[in-house]
């Protein structure tokens, strides 16, 4: 017992916290599972080995810590995005102001047009047909906004009195106020220069007459922009008209009313066939809105100002007609500032940043600034980091003149349909998890596999429960302690051998199972920017989603570059054609530039949508992986056999090797992708062990660890922004345990970084099918009978007609290459760690390994890892279980811990951990044979020991806890495709029928 993991292990629950069959009121844990085995070595020594499986006390408190953090972070992100959404609403010209001081109201009443010159008419009795289009030239964006399109306007031969409005329309321009702060300036450069020149003239005139109040600061100036009126007049020689059937098109239409006269004019505009060639004249006028302002607004029911006569010019500057109209701009009573970044709530501490993500738009100049603050714009995105800073700055200034690239309808839908829902979900989790920790669990009398309430033990049957997404499931500390009996010594003078301890954490796959792995952006064609991806459908787990996120960031950059180039070329062309005319705006009628601009909208919105999805998914997966990793670390800290390692952990980090047994096909591929990112996030964590002072409030929001004799509380503190985010996890320890059992190097607030690795090998029929499919596809390059081969490949990849472990597993996508990539990534990290822990040359002894980067010496393959490297390089198209076996052995020799998982943590996991336990026992016992530690372990003996553990050990009861049946979810056919060392005894198999109906309970996931 002295060497056992349960003897004073930090993760053990109190022995009085439950019983082995069901939980009594207030109990949250099952009692440990255990089984003992006896060994006799060459008829001289005897040993007793005890196998135990114990639930972890830290997974629920850590999940509570993180869910509380995620709730606060998501609430910040929700409030931030809501304020950005309001700013985008205020930016729209077709919507009244929410903030009264932020917008003006422009009321346009068009009466009629009368011509001032002859248009070569041969028929004075036929008047021309005219249509009018109004476009607002914003002072803060070079793209014009359409207010009204192709509305028929009466044409009169001369000025008519009284004035009778034929068309009325209103819109609401955002008020822009000039500022002396260039960083907050939103005016177009040309507009700003013009206003500054006017301001200076007025200002210096005022200063010359009033020297007592001289100042060097220009007073603010209100800018509203212009209305560009375009009039198209059909030739007098025919009656063909171009009046639009719907004068207000598009999804964002202005408030408008059409008078009876205009309706009559439109009704009279019937297309009449004629034999004459059609001719059309286009004239325009520019109306500065500031010239028509009225402050304060007229009382309710007040009339608009009187009509004015606006001259209309052709492209040569010649006046061709006069538009009789009324234009009134109603200003709010007080206007002190514009809607700018000061009204946007800070994104600091938001979910995207808190889970370690950059938006990839920080230094791009893309507006609006969403999910980061302006001061974070110094972060170099992966896409722009290689560019010249001067080039980046110029690009930012260019994009600033093109307005925001996210629409209000998209962001409004996103905020209400996603962020608000996620805030509620995380709030519910945080409250319910904390409630269980504070008041205990009082479940109904139901079996554990049917219990879907928050508890430290979460059965695999609850994978799809959204409420439990933050808790890792089926977590146990699996241990095998070996001790000599009193009669072990072969001779009277021989010392009794020291015991040995093997321990691994076993669990289900850390993944966002409830969210699934389907398409989050499936359409590549459509009109809704939220559902359109320029890089094709986006689906899968985190690794695939984040790879798509990088593609989308590149797509945004490329779309922006095309738009910038096209706008520049168009401006040059227009200014060459009209050298004496200032060209600052792009008309709505320019279809090419409008299409290029919309491409930027679509790419930006798709990137934003995927980024938020990844953030939520990261939060759920990391909440699981952290609980698993801390369980492993605390178990290692309490292992007296690892007393020599803590000093090295402080210097190099605690090595935790995750050993995955999932197949790179279907939903399990998505689980691999989730797990790989969640595990990699552990490198952001440093763990500090501190003695408990008895005050849960002493360190802020500490979360209690109930039912633990040694752990008192946990406290998580984030720091940094985006990809530079770090977490400090403090764990309060019982003072006596801290003094007596915590190694000295880990005291005095000494942090220990986590150093996570993931090795992944598929070991079931699914992976065999995926391998066969890949091998057959490779053969297609040299064979022509592709039809039969593809059908055969599809058959084997489906696992032989649906005999899958879980009936919710569809086959879907396969990706054999991801396993090789993951294993190589893990190998390089382990290689760097091995060089740091055990240098092979003086140059490699740099005292640390930095941020998971190898030194020059570590680029060489460490001798201890040569065999592992060979296994990985030869694993293409093969189920090479030796990768996991070798990686686990190396990790153990480096003082690290291990965590084994499959989808549920009960079947393939049981096969692997029992094999490792049996192998560990035989390697230890071989030291007491005649050959000593150099003796080769007989694999048949290891297989037999593993079979004994699989039949009589702790793993079958764990299956019963999870699904209600003490059987492994395999059938005889599936077993045939498994590696020999992982094949279960025939008596323990669930059988062929899906859902376990052969057993009557429906609980077996086969």
């Amino acid at each position: 017992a002295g060497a056992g993991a349960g003897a004073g292990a930090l993760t053990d629950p109190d022995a009085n916290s439950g019983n082995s069959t069901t939980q009594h009121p207030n109990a949250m844990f099952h009692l440990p599972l255990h089984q003992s085995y006896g060994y006799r070595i060459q008829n001289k020594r005897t040993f007793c080995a005890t196998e135990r499986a114990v639930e972890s006390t830290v997974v629920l408190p850590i999940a509570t810590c993180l869910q509380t953090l995620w709730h606060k972070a998501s609430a910040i992100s929700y409030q931030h995005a809501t304020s950005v959404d309001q700013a985008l609403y205020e930016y729209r010209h077709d919507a009244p102001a929410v903030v009264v001081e932020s917008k003006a109201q422009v009321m346009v009443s068009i009466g009629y047009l009368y011509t001032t010159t002859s248009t070569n008419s041969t028929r004075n009795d036929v008047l021309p047909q005219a249509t009018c289009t109004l476009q607002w030239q914003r002072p803060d964006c070079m793209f014009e906004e359409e207010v009204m399109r192709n509305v028929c306007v009466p044409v009169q031969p001369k000025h008519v009195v009284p004035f009778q409005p034929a068309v009325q329309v209103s819109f609401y321009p955002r008020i822009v106020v000039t500022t002396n702060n260039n960083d907050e300036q939103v005016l177009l450069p040309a507009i700003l220069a013009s206003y500054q020149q006017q301001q200076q003239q007025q200002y210096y005139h005022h200063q010359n007459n009033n020297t007592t109040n001289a100042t060097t600061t220009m007073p603010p100036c209100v800018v509203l922009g212009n209305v560009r009126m375009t009039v198209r007049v059909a030739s007098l020689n025919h009656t063909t008209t171009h009046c639009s059937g719907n004068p207000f098109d598009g999804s964002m239409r202005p408030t408008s009313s059409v008078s009876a006269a205009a309706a009559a004019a439109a009704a009279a505009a019937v297309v009449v066939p004629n034999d004459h060639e059609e001719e059309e004249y286009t004239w325009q006028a520019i109306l500065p809105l500031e010239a028509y302002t009225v402050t304060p607004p007229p009382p309710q029911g007040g009339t608009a100002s009187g009509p004015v006569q606006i001259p209309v010019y052709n492209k040569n500057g010649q006046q061709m007609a006069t538009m009789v109209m009324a234009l009134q701009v109603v200003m709010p009573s007080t206007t002190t500032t514009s809607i700018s970044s000061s009204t946007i709530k800070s994104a600091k501490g938001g979910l995207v940043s808190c889970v370690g993500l950059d938006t990839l738009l920080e230094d791009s100049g893309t507006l609006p600034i969403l999910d980061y603050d302006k001061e974070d714009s110094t972060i170099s995105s992966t896409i722009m980091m290689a560019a010249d800073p001067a080039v980046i700055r110029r690009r930012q200034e260019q994009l600033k003149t093109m307005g925001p690239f996210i629409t209000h309808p998209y962001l409004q839908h996103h905020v209400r349909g996603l962020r608000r829902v996620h805030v509620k979900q995380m709030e519910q989790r945080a409250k319910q998890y904390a409630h269980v920790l504070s008041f205990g669990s009082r479940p109904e009398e139901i079996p554990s596999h049917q219990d879907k309430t928050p508890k430290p033990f979460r059965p695999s049957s609850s994978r799809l429960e959204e409420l439990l997404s933050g808790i890792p499931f089926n977590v146990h500390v699996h241990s095998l302690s070996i001790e000599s009996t009193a009669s072990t010594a072969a001779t009277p003078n021989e010392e009794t051998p020291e015991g040995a301890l093997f321990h691994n954490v076993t669990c289900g796959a850390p993944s966002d199972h409830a969210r699934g792995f389907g398409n989050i952006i499936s359409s590549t064609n459509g009109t809704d920017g939220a559902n359109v991806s320029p890089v094709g459908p986006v689906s899968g787990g985190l690794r695939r989603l984040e790879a798509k996120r990088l593609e989308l960031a590149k797509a945004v950059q490329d779309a922006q570059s095309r738009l910038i180039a096209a706008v520049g070329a168009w401006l040059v062309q227009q200014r060459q054609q009209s050298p004496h005319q200032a060209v600052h705006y792009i008309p709505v009628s320019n279809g090419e530039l409008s299409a290029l601009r919309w491409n930027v909208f679509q790419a930006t919105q798709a990137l934003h949508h995927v980024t938020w999805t990844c953030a939520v998914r990261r939060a759920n997966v990391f909440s699981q992986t952290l609980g698993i990793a801390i369980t492993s670390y605390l178990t290692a800290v309490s292992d007296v056999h690892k007393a020599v390692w803590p000093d090295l952990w402080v210097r190099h980090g605690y090595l935790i090797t995750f050993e995955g047994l999932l197949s790179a096909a279907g939903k399990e591929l998505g689980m691999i992708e989730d797990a790989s990112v969640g595990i990699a996030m552990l490198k952001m964590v440093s763990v500090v062990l501190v003695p408990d002072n008895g005050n849960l409030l002493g360190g802020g929001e500490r979360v209690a660890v109930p039912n633990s004799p040694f752990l008192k509380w946990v406290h998580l503190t984030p720091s940094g922004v985006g990809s530079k985010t770090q977490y400090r996890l403090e764990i309060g320890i019982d003072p006596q345990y801290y003094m007596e059992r915590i190694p000295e190097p880990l005291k005095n607030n000494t942090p220990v970084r986590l150093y996570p690795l993931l090795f992944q090998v598929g070991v079931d029929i699914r992976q065999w099918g995926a391998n066969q499919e890949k091998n057959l596809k490779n053969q297609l390059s040299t064979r022509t009978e592709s039809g039969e081969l593809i059908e055969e490949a599809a058959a084997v990849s489906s696992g032989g007609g649906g005999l899958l472990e879980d009936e919710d597993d569809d086959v879907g996508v396969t990706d054999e290459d991801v396993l090789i990539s993951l294993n190589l990534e893990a190998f390089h990290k382990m290689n760097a760690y091995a060089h740091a822990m055990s240098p092979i040359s003086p140059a490699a002894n740099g005292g640390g390994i930095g941020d998971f980067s190898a030194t020059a010496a570590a680029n060489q393959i460490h001798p201890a890892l040569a065999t592992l490297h060979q296994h990985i390089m030869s694993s293409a198209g093969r189920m090479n279980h030796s990768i996991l076996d070798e990686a686990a052995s190396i990790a153990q020799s480096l003082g690290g811990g291990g965590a084994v998982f499959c989808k549920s943590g009960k079947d393939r996991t049981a096969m692997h951990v029992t094999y490792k336990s049996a192998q560990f026992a035989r390697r230890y016992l071989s030291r007491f044979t005649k050959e000593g530690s150099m003796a080769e372990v007989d694999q048949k003996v290891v297989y037999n020991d593993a079979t004994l553990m699989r039949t009589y050990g702790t793993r079958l009861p764990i299956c019963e806890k999870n699904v209600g049946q003490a059987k492994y979810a395999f059938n005889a056919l599936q077993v045939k495709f498994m590696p020999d060392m992982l094949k279960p005894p025939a008596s323990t198999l669930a059988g062929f029928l899906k859902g376990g109906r052969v057993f009557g309970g429906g609980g077996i996931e086969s």
Side-chain angles (χ1 to χ4, degrees):
L10 282 170
T11 53
D12 279 4
D14 192 298
N16 297 320
S17 60
N19 59 67
S20 59
T21 56
T22 185
Q23 294 89 356
H24 59 67
N26 297 321
M28 289 189 287
F29 298 92
H30 299 85
L31 287 178
L33 300 168
H34 58 87
Q35 181 60 278
S36 296
Y37 309 91
Y39 293 90
R40 180 176 294 275
I41 306 301
Q42 296 180 349
N43 295 323
K44 295 181 180 179
R45 297 179 173 88
T46 57
F47 293 84
C48 178
T50 301
E51 176 191 2
R52 302 176 79 245
V54 189
E55 296 169 7
S56 172
T57 56
V58 297
V59 292
L60 185 57
I62 286 176
T64 305
C65 262
L66 283 170
Q67 294 305 315
T68 302
L69 175 62
W70 302 152
H71 170 231
K72 291 184 176 180
S74 62
I76 291 172
S77 292
Y78 171 74
Q79 294 168 0
H80 163 73
T82 299
S83 67
V84 175
D85 177 52
Q86 178 177 315
L88 288 177
Y89 180 83
E90 297 290 339
Y91 188 85
R92 289 175 55 167
H93 69 285
D94 61 326
V98 174
V99 180
V100 177
E101 294 81 7
S102 67
K103 304 183 85 171
Q105 181 181 9
V106 178
M107 294 174 285
V108 182
S109 301
I110 297 178
Y112 56 89
L113 179 78
Y114 70 91
T115 59
T116 57
T117 63
S118 173
T119 54
N120 299 323
S121 172
T122 59
R123 295 176 56 191
N124 293 328
D125 58 327
V126 179
L127 295 176
Q129 298 290 334
T131 61
C132 180
T133 296
L134 298 181
Q135 294 179 337
W136 176 39
Q137 296 180 336
R138 309 183 62 106
D140 54 0
C141 178
M142 64 168 50
F143 286 90
E144 296 180 343
E145 302 276 7
E146 190 168 83
V147 176
M148 182 180 75
R149 177 191 294 183
N150 291 347
V151 175
C152 290
V153 176
V155 180
Q156 302 292 345
K158 59 181 180 178
H159 183 37
V160 179
V161 180
F163 173 74
Q164 178 66 39
V167 179
Q168 292 180 325
V169 63
S170 295
F171 69 99
Y172 306 87
R174 187 181 71 154
I175 298 171
V176 177
V177 180
T178 60
T179 175
N180 292 290
N181 187 339
N182 291 332
D183 291 335
E184 296 183 2
Q185 186 62 258
V186 297
L187 279 178
L188 294 175
I191 306 299
L192 176 62
S194 175
Y195 273 89
Q196 284 179 336
Q197 183 177 7
Q198 296 177 21
Q199 271 188 303
Q200 283 183 341
Q201 293 175 355
Q202 298 174 4
Y203 168 75
Y204 286 124
H205 176 75
H206 172 75
Q207 295 290 46
N208 290 334
N209 296 330
N210 185 11
T211 57
T212 57
N213 295 323
T215 177
T216 58
T217 303
M218 297 294 176
C221 179
V222 173
V223 186
L224 296 174
N226 309 315
V227 169
R228 183 169 68 90
M229 179 171 59
T230 303
V231 178
R232 289 183 174 86
V233 180
S235 170
L236 296 176
N237 295 326
H238 59 80
T239 57
T240 304
T241 182
H242 297 280
C243 291
S244 170
N246 179 10
F248 309 112
D249 61 350
S251 60
M252 300 186 293
R253 299 173 183 170
T255 304
S256 62
S257 62
V258 181
S259 67
V270 180
V271 177
V272 179
N274 61 85
D275 298 329
H276 303 286
E277 181 180 356
E278 181 180 347
E279 297 180 3
E280 186 179 71
Y281 303 95
T282 301
W283 307 325
Q284 70 175 10
I286 303 295
L287 288 72
L289 293 178
E290 294 86 357
Y292 300 89
T293 57
V294 176
T295 305
Q300 188 70 22
T303 59
S305 61
V308 293
Q309 299 185 43
I310 306 297
V312 185
Y313 301 90
N314 64 12
K315 63 180 181 179
N316 297 321
Q318 179 184 2
Q319 181 177 346
M320 304 300 295
T322 299
M323 182 70 75
V324 180
M325 59 186 296
L327 177 62
Q328 185 180 49
V329 180
V330 180
M331 297 292 290
S333 56
T334 59
T335 301
T336 58
T337 185
S338 63
I339 296 295
S340 64
S341 59
S342 61
T343 65
I344 305 299
K345 292 187 178 180
S346 173
K348 185 177 182 180
L351 188 64
V352 174
S353 175
C354 203
V355 297
L357 285 176
D358 299 325
T359 67
L360 304 181
L361 294 175
E362 281 86 354
D363 60 355
S364 68
T366 304
L367 295 176
I369 294 176
L370 187 57
D371 286 324
Y372 68 96
D373 291 336
K374 182 174 290 187
E375 55 266 28
D376 300 327
S377 60
T378 55
I379 298 174
S380 294
S381 70
T382 304
I383 304 302
M384 297 295 295
M385 63 188 308
D388 184 346
V391 173
I392 294 177
R393 181 62 180 171
R394 176 173 175 79
R395 182 186 181 89
Q396 291 172 343
E397 293 298 328
Q398 290 169 329
L399 290 173
K400 187 177 178 180
T401 67
M402 299 182 185
F405 289 106
I406 289 180
T407 65
H408 164 64
Y410 160 76
L411 191 56
Q412 183 182 59
H413 172 77
H414 171 81
V415 169
R416 296 179 180 179
L418 290 180
R419 296 207 178 193
R420 184 161 58 186
V421 173
H422 294 149
V423 171
K424 292 293 184 183
Q425 289 175 346
M426 293 172 181
E427 180 184 27
Q428 182 185 27
R429 287 186 213 144
K431 287 182 176 179
Q432 293 206 25
Y433 295 1
H435 179 82
V436 171
L437 292 176
S438 298
F439 301 102
S441 175
R442 293 179 171 82
E444 299 177 2
E445 293 298 326
I446 57 175
S448 61
H449 69 279
Q450 296 178 359
D451 191 354
K452 306 299 174 63
T453 59
K455 283 191 180 67
F457 173 74
R458 175 188 171 194
S460 63
S461 56
S462 68
R463 283 197 320 275
L464 302 182
E465 291 295 318
E466 190 279 328
L467 174 64
L468 307 181
S469 294
I471 307 173
F473 59 91
N474 196 15
V475 177
H476 293 85
V477 177
H478 177 101
S479 64
L480 185 73
S481 60
I482 305 176
E483 298 176 342
S484 62
T485 62
S487 59
T488 294
T491 64
N493 296 328
E494 189 176 22
E495 294 183 1
T496 301
E498 292 185 359
L501 174 64
F502 165 84
H503 51 78
N504 266 179
V505 178
T506 65
C507 55
S511 175
D512 198 352
H513 300 271
R515 200 164 297 279
F517 308 98
N519 290 329
I520 62 171
I521 302 181
S522 59
S523 174
T524 54
N525 295 295
T527 58
D528 184 358
N531 295 323
V532 177
S533 165
V535 297
V538 180
S539 63
L542 275 169
R543 185 181 176 92
R544 206 183 329 165
L545 292 176
E546 294 190 3
K548 281 289 187 180
R549 200 170 78 95
L550 291 177
E551 291 182 34
L552 284 168
K554 184 65 166 59
V556 171
Q557 183 196 23
D558 292 343
Q560 289 175 340
S561 297
R562 288 191 291 269
L563 177 61
I564 291 171
V567 167
W570 183 84
L571 290 174
V572 169
Q573 180 186 34
Q574 294 299 309
R575 289 165 182 169
Q576 288 175 347
Q577 293 176 356
S578 305
H580 303 294
Q581 182 178 357
V583 180
H584 303 305
Y585 290 98
I586 299 171
V588 177
S589 58
N590 191 317
E592 179 184 359
L593 293 181
S594 296
L596 289 174
R597 188 185 182 209
W598 181 240
N599 289 342
V600 181
F601 273 94
Q602 288 185 331
T604 304
Q605 291 173 173
L607 173 60
H608 172 258
H609 179 70
V610 174
T611 296
W612 179 257
T613 301
C614 288
V616 173
R617 202 172 190 98
R618 271 186 169 227
N620 293 335
V621 177
F622 181 62
S623 184
Q624 300 176 35
T625 58
L626 184 58
I628 297 166
I630 297 304
T631 298
S632 174
Y633 175 67
L634 293 178
T635 302
V637 168
S638 56
D639 182 358
V640 296
H641 298 281
K642 290 187 178 291
V644 299
W645 295 107
D647 181 59
L648 294 172
W649 295 342
V650 171
R651 284 190 283 160
H652 306 296
Y654 173 72
L655 176 68
I656 175 169
T657 303
F658 285 79
E659 303 161 39
L661 299 156
L662 298 168
S663 300
K667 293 181 180 179
E668 290 199 4
L669 174 59
M671 298 174 200
I672 293 173
E673 294 163 341
D674 270 359
S676 65
V677 175
I679 291 168
M681 289 178 67
L682 293 172
K683 69 183 180 182
M684 304 155 64
V685 180
S686 295
V687 187
V688 181
L689 304 181
V690 298
D692 175 42
N693 58 10
N695 183 9
L696 277 178
L697 301 178
E701 295 186 355
R702 294 173 173 176
V703 175
V705 182
N707 301 117
S708 172
F710 309 118
L711 301 180
K712 300 305 179 182
W713 49 263
V714 294
H715 180 222
L716 187 73
T717 305
S719 62
V721 176
S723 57
K724 298 179 181 178
T725 296
Q726 297 290 315
Y727 300 100
R728 178 185 173 94
L729 178 65
E730 294 183 346
I731 303 177
I733 310 291
D734 175 76
Q736 183 176 358
Y737 189 101
Y738 184 89
M739 182 181 301
E740 297 175 358
R741 297 286 302 275
I742 298 299
E744 285 298 324
L746 304 183
K747 294 181 179 179
N748 302 318
N749 291 320
T750 303
V752 173
R753 288 189 309 131
L754 298 181
Y755 195 104
L757 306 176
L758 169 62
F759 289 94
Q760 167 64 48
V761 175
V763 295
D764 68 351
I765 191 172
R766 258 187 234 91
Q767 189 60 55
W768 178 88
N771 293 341
Q772 291 298 108
E773 181 179 11
K774 180 179 180 180
N775 293 336
L776 288 171
K777 286 182 177 179
N778 290 337
Q779 295 176 23
L780 291 179
S781 61
T782 57
R783 295 178 56 182
T784 58
E785 300 85 9
S786 59
E788 295 180 1
L789 286 174
I790 291 177
E791 292 177 2
E792 183 181 357
V796 297
S797 67
S798 67
L803 295 173
L804 306 180
E805 178 182 342
D806 289 332
E807 58 183 340
D808 61 38
D809 255 346
D810 300 324
V811 175
V813 179
T814 62
D815 185 3
E816 164 68 15
D817 294 335
V818 72
L819 301 184
I820 299 177
S821 298
L822 285 172
N823 290 333
L824 281 175
E825 291 172 13
F827 170 82
H828 290 307
K829 294 174 183 178
M830 178 176 275
N831 191 48
Y833 192 87
H835 277 288
M837 295 284 280
S838 178
I840 58 176
S841 67
N845 190 10
I849 53 175
D851 187 19
F852 293 88
S853 61
T855 62
N859 289 327
Q860 308 172 23
I861 296 176
H862 195 284
L865 278 72
T867 302
L868 175 61
H869 185 258
Q870 293 173 2
H871 287 323
I872 294 174
M873 298 307 294
S874 63
S875 63
R878 299 173 55 229
M879 285 194 296
N880 192 346
H881 179 263
S882 299
I883 294 174
L884 297 183
D885 187 15
E886 186 69 16
S889 298
I890 296 171
Q892 187 177 18
S893 69
L894 293 172
V900 180
F901 68 90
C902 59
K903 180 167 64 175
S904 63
K906 60 183 177 59
D907 303 307
R908 282 167 284 179
T909 296
M911 301 304 104
H912 182 61
V913 78
T914 50
Y915 171 74
K916 290 180 66 179
S917 299
Q919 186 182 63
F920 172 83
R922 286 300 171 180
R923 285 177 176 173
Y924 171 76
L925 296 174
S926 68
R927 295 162 50 189
F928 306 102
T929 62
K930 292 180 180 179
E931 296 82 2
S933 59
M934 300 302 294
E936 185 176 348
V937 176
D938 187 343
Q939 288 298 311
K940 290 184 178 180
V941 176
V942 173
Y943 294 171
N944 291 337
D945 290 352
T947 297
L948 195 70
M949 294 179 182
R950 292 162 186 167
T951 306
Y952 301 104
T954 63
R955 303 313 299 187
L956 279 177
I958 287 177
C959 292
E960 186 173 13
K961 284 168 63 176
N962 279 277
V963 295
Q965 299 285 349
K967 294 288 184 179
Y968 298 121
F970 303 120
N971 58 54
L973 178 60
Q974 291 171 323
V975 171
K976 291 181 182 292
F977 294 90
M978 297 176 67
D980 290 340
M981 69 284 293
L982 301 185
K983 291 183 177 179
S987 62
T988 63
L989 302 184
F992 276 91
L993 296 183
K994 284 187 176 183
R997 288 186 295 275
V998 68
F999 300 101
I1004 298 294
E1005 302 173 47
S1006 65

